[in-house]
Amino acid sequence: MPTRLLFLLAFLLFYCSPKPEENIESNVFSADVIIYGGTSAAITAAVQVKKMGKSIIIVSPDQHLGGLSSGGLGYTDTGDKSVIGGLAREFYGRVYAHYQQDSAWKWQKREEYGNKGQGTPAIDGNARTMWIFEPHVAEQVFEDFVSENKLEIWRDEWLDRSKGVTLSEGKITKISTLSGKTFEGKVFIDATYEGDLMAAAGVSYHIGRESNETYGEKWNGVQVGVYQHRHYFQDSISAYEIPNDPSSGLLPEISDQPPGINGEGDSRLQAYNYRLCMSRHPDNRVPFAKPEGYDPHRYELLARVYEAGWDETFDKFDPIPNLKTDTNNHGPFSTDYIGKNYNYPEASYEERNAMLEEHKNYQQGLLYFMANDPRVPQKVRDEMAQWGLAKDEFQDTGNWPHQIYVREARRMIGDYVMTEHEVLGDREVPQPIGMGSYSLDSHNVQRFITPGGNVQNEGDIGVHPKQPYSISLGTILPKKSECSNLLVPVCVSSSHTAFGSIRMEPVFMILGQSAAAAASLAIDGNQAVQDVNYDQLREVLLNEKQVMELAGRL
């Protein structure tokens, strides 16, 4: 065969064959690291992967990025902000830069805002950080991270939880979404609040509260009679339709199940709610509408709380810029929808959506009740008339947050499990990759009938650590025998009580960045994520200004 023809054939074979980074199948996408989730942890992880020279794809079930940080939780649970480093601190630095602009103050003068944060000034001029912000500002910061780092992101892509995870020799090779897309990678990161990828990959996890015996803890399990916040019924309020008459039946929103024995484990979860962004500027508020199927009797318990003299309605209308709030649960009957989320982690997408609608309906009905019902004190109704949903927030979801507050869902069980002993400083933490400092914090888990026929809440705890604590690399690693190329920076390996402190948005950003660094090093070393050299990882994280122990404070 003539030489020229051989050359032509070779040319055609080379240039017409699929390249290693391509796939002739449609809807198949490859990268070094695949991140599932659209939370704050997902974005910091993606940025860190890109900084370390690896390719990245974010597969996000969400349209909006940032999870709770952009979903209404603008009054940041910081704890000790000096231990927040790396990309998390950069996030709050960017928020600070935004509010230095005059254009950021549309509905309020900057000098009228004040400087109140949660245990810290809202605006820290010396550190050039700001810890309190509007939802749309946070979302824009995350979008800026995406655009500046040219991150590839696929939105509204939902993991096929039944058959969408392919494993080979203990590794995930690819994941598929309900739309038919497939994503191949060397290392995967589950950055969801629910832990869906982790669960679908067959990694061990726990839902609910462990018994105190499980890890030798004090604050785990059922906690009847433990009142560490003011989210309990301080007066004797009958649980029955006709007070003190059991034959009349229970009032709405009360369980007929016994609460259990203190210290024993259960499968119940602390309550979820939506962190509402409200406005009191007359040109930027949407009145509280009556939801479909509204029944004022659903809120009879709150009416009885008011009758008993309770007057703390507005204590958690926490101020954020521009005459807005981050409105959280407060009191014995509030925005937390207690006992209605137990099945959420394992529920199908359709079942979850139904739960989300029910939570939304409950909260919208509560707002309407507080603003309009004659059984609500007049002074409360007068104050509620000054408020409404912020018109310029969540504009494509009816001014309602796009993210419910999943305070706790699945928690991984790795070889290393973080417990209250480490959080409270009673046990040394090996191989630190970040720090936390918030209290062991759980919202109420159930609302039950006392032996005397009254209503009471259970599950709320708030135990403060003596000082900030380190978080171990082991918390984000599955057991090697279960999966050797997955990292889990949100649904971390921890007990219920420890997770109550770890589960703060700045910590999720920290752990997301650290997980990404470990993923990149695993790729460099062609090794399991569990085999990454800790000294190398530590060096990377220190260069990224991550704070990992008290001696390394900023």
Side-chain angles (χ1 to χ4, degrees):
M1 186 179 293
T3 303
R4 180 176 294 180
L5 183 56
L6 284 172
F7 179 83
L8 179 60
L9 283 172
F11 180 91
L12 291 172
L13 283 171
F14 181 79
Y15 282 98
C16 295
S17 297
K19 306 298 182 296
E21 67 274 9
E22 295 178 351
N23 196 309
I24 57 174
E25 298 177 39
S26 61
N27 282 335
V28 177
F29 308 91
S30 301
D32 292 324
V33 180
I34 306 296
I35 297 173
Y36 183 61
T39 62
S40 59
I43 305 307
T44 56
V47 172
Q48 183 61 35
V49 168
K50 204 67 180 292
K51 291 177 77 170
M52 295 181 72
K54 305 295 184 290
S55 59
I56 178 74
I57 298 175
I58 303 172
V59 183
S60 173
D62 310 306
Q63 288 281 6
H64 296 274
L65 302 182
L68 256 296
S69 286
S70 62
L73 204 166
Y75 196 75
T76 306
D77 301 309
T78 53
D80 185 335
K81 66 178 186 289
S82 71
V83 301
I84 299 171
L87 288 169
R89 181 162 284 262
E90 181 177 341
F91 170 85
Y92 296 105
R94 289 180 178 227
V95 171
Y96 172 86
H98 170 81
Y99 284 107
Q100 292 302 299
Q101 305 172 77
D102 292 340
S103 59
W105 299 92
K106 180 176 180 180
W107 304 108
Q108 179 183 36
K109 294 181 179 178
R110 184 169 186 255
E111 57 270 20
E112 296 173 350
Y113 166 62
N115 203 20
K116 179 189 175 185
Q118 188 169 172
T120 181
I123 306 171
D124 186 341
N126 293 330
R128 300 183 66 78
T129 52
M130 186 164 175
W131 308 95
I132 313 297
F133 46 84
E134 298 159 277
H136 75 272
V137 172
E139 185 169 2
Q140 187 58 56
V141 172
F142 291 119
E143 292 289 355
D144 290 344
F145 276 135
V146 169
S147 60
E148 291 168 15
N149 292 278
K150 296 181 173 59
L151 302 178
E152 182 176 351
I153 180 166
W154 291 86
R155 305 176 197 240
D156 197 24
E157 290 291 342
W158 297 81
L159 178 69
D160 183 339
R161 292 158 58 193
S162 63
K163 57 182 186 299
V165 178
T166 302
L167 294 103
S168 176
E169 299 180 346
K171 293 182 178 180
I172 303 172
T173 58
K174 59 185 178 182
I175 64 173
S176 299
T177 59
L178 295 178
S179 71
K181 295 181 179 65
T182 296
F183 299 90
E184 301 173 336
K186 298 173 183 176
V187 177
F188 292 76
I189 296 175
D190 184 342
T192 63
Y193 292 121
E194 295 84 5
D196 283 342
L197 175 55
M198 169 189 75
V203 170
S204 298
Y205 58 87
H206 187 84
I207 297 173
R209 300 180 285 190
E210 298 90 352
S211 71
N212 274 325
E213 291 182 354
T214 304
Y215 299 116
E217 295 176 299
K218 178 179 179 180
W219 301 109
N220 215 330
V222 175
Q223 299 284 319
V224 172
V226 176
Y227 307 126
Q228 295 177 336
H229 294 113
R230 294 177 64 82
H231 308 321
Y232 64 96
F233 292 88
Q234 300 170 42
D235 297 281
S236 296
I237 294 177
S238 177
Y240 303 111
E241 290 280 2
I242 299 173
N244 306 313
D245 180 3
S247 67
S248 65
L250 288 174
L251 286 171
E253 314 304 345
I254 302 175
S255 170
D256 61 359
Q257 299 299 306
I261 300 170
N262 275 20
E264 72 178 7
D266 61 14
S267 59
R268 302 179 179 108
L269 293 170
Q270 59 176 308
Y272 297 172
N273 72 341
Y274 285 94
R275 298 287 287 250
L276 302 179
C277 185
M278 299 184 182
S279 169
R280 61 184 174 92
H281 194 288
D283 296 330
N284 192 41
R285 65 178 183 228
V286 178
F288 301 124
K290 180 190 294 187
E292 184 177 353
Y294 171 74
D295 179 4
H297 187 61
R298 191 178 192 181
Y299 308 99
E300 171 66 20
L301 266 178
L302 180 57
R304 294 187 186 183
V305 171
Y306 279 129
E307 288 173 359
W310 187 75
D311 63 354
E312 300 176 23
T313 302
F314 303 100
D315 282 16
K316 287 302 291 178
F317 280 42
D318 291 317
I320 62 175
N322 284 308
L323 298 178
K324 300 177 188 176
T325 69
D326 166 359
T327 303
N328 197 10
N329 179 82
H330 184 74
F333 192 103
S334 184
T335 59
D336 279 359
Y337 197 27
I338 299 172
K340 309 299 182 179
N341 60 337
Y342 298 158
N343 297 325
Y344 181 84
E346 301 281 46
S348 68
Y349 292 133
E350 293 77 15
E351 291 167 335
R352 284 182 185 172
N353 284 336
M355 291 182 204
L356 297 181
E357 281 301 310
E358 185 65 10
H359 276 74
K360 179 179 176 181
N361 185 277
Y362 164 79
Q363 246 177 287
Q364 289 181 335
L366 175 67
L367 293 170
Y368 187 83
F369 179 85
M370 292 167 62
N372 295 282
D373 197 277
R375 294 194 63 187
V376 175
Q378 186 65 50
K379 67 176 183 179
V380 174
R381 283 181 281 149
D382 290 343
E383 177 68 16
M384 288 296 290
Q386 306 300 312
W387 294 97
L389 298 178
K391 187 184 296 185
D392 62 349
E393 300 287 353
F394 311 122
Q395 293 181 320
D396 62 347
T397 53
N399 309 112
W400 197 261
H402 47 72
Q403 174 67 58
I404 197 168
Y405 197 172
V406 179
R407 290 189 171 94
E408 191 169 1
R410 300 182 181 97
R411 298 188 315 281
M412 183 169 64
I413 303 175
D415 284 327
Y416 182 89
V417 181
M418 193 99 167
T419 70
E420 67 184 49
H421 301 294
E422 288 85 1
V423 172
L424 297 178
D426 298 327
R427 187 179 294 164
E428 188 174 349
V429 175
Q431 299 185 327
I433 57 169
M435 297 194 75
S437 61
Y438 208 75
S439 61
L440 304 175
D441 183 67
S442 173
H443 281 232
N444 280 308
V445 175
Q446 55 182 327
R447 179 174 289 142
F448 65 98
I449 317 164
T450 69
N454 294 320
V455 60
Q456 193 50 269
N457 296 332
E458 180 277 322
D460 183 275
I461 60 171
V463 181
H464 293 275
K466 296 185 286 288
Q467 60 188 13
Y469 58 90
S470 296
I471 301 172
S472 174
L473 171 62
T475 63
I476 64 173
L477 297 174
K479 296 174 182 176
K480 187 177 179 181
S481 60
E482 294 181 343
C483 190
S484 61
N485 70 333
L486 174 69
L487 295 114
V488 184
V490 176
C491 295
V492 297
S493 180
S494 63
S495 69
H496 161 71
T497 51
F499 191 75
S501 176
I502 294 170
R503 65 176 182 86
M504 304 302 151
E505 287 291 298
V507 178
F508 287 155
M509 292 187 219
I510 290 166
L511 296 182
Q513 182 175 13
S514 295
S520 300
L521 290 176
I523 292 170
D524 288 341
N526 191 26
Q527 59 191 163
V529 293
Q530 293 86 355
D531 294 334
V532 166
N533 181 282
Y534 175 70
D535 290 336
Q536 284 184 293
L537 176 61
R538 179 181 175 82
E539 183 178 355
V540 171
L541 296 179
L542 287 174
N543 286 337
E544 296 294 336
K545 298 183 179 180
Q546 202 75 288
V547 183
M548 294 176 283
E549 54 211 352
L550 286 179
R553 279 192 181 192
L554 293 179

